[in-house]
Amino acid sequence: MKRLMNDGGLIILFLIFMVGVARADSTRQEQAEQTAASSILTGPIHFYQEYLSGADGHRCPMTPSCSGYAVQAIRRHGAFLGWIMTCDRLMRCGRDELKLSPSVITRQGIRCQDPLDNNDFWLR
């Protein structure tokens, strides 16, 4: 009888382990799909950053830059909310935000610090 209890406990532990593995696999698959979708959406932004932004110099007064902010927003919140947050950021760029947010020193000079974490508090 004691042997059956041990085997039963092992079977239960094995089943719990298998459920955990299956859940981890589905989570990895969802993350891979989301990463693929976000890379398609952020491709034009990366093209802008690589080839167009450097042509006229780094003029964004904020850190991260507006294009970097857009990539972070799309990766974290998906296409729709990421696009809305990017539009909000573009409307705020260089205006009152420069007076309201703290300044930091970067390689490009003094910039206004406006990270994504400061603006997605309403989503949590």
Side-chain angles (χ1 to χ4, degrees), residues 38-103:
S38 72
S39 65
I40 290 170
L41 295 171
T42 59
I45 298 171
H46 289 298
F47 178 82
Y48 167 79
Q49 289 174 329
E50 186 70 27
Y51 299 105
L52 303 176
S53 177
D56 64 352
H58 298 285
R59 296 182 299 149
C60 185
M62 304 177 98
T63 186
S65 66
C66 292
S67 58
Y69 184 93
V71 169
Q72 290 176 11
I74 290 169
R75 284 187 179 158
R76 186 178 296 177
H77 300 295
F80 184 71
L81 285 176
W83 178 252
I84 289 173
M85 292 182 76
T86 299
C87 290
D88 174 62
R89 169 66 179 271
L90 290 171
M91 288 189 298
R92 291 183 289 114
C93 184
R95 299 179 190 240
D96 290 338
E97 193 72 28
L98 297 176
K99 298 173 190 166
L100 300 174
S101 294
S103 297

Side-chain angles (χ1 to χ4, degrees), residues 97-117:
E97 193 72 28
L98 297 176
K99 298 173 190 166
L100 300 174
S101 294
S103 297
V104 294
I105 298 174
T106 65
R107 286 186 225 164
Q108 291 83 23
I110 298 175
R111 300 284 189 248
C112 173
Q113 186 176 15
D114 185 39
L116 182 67
D117 291 336

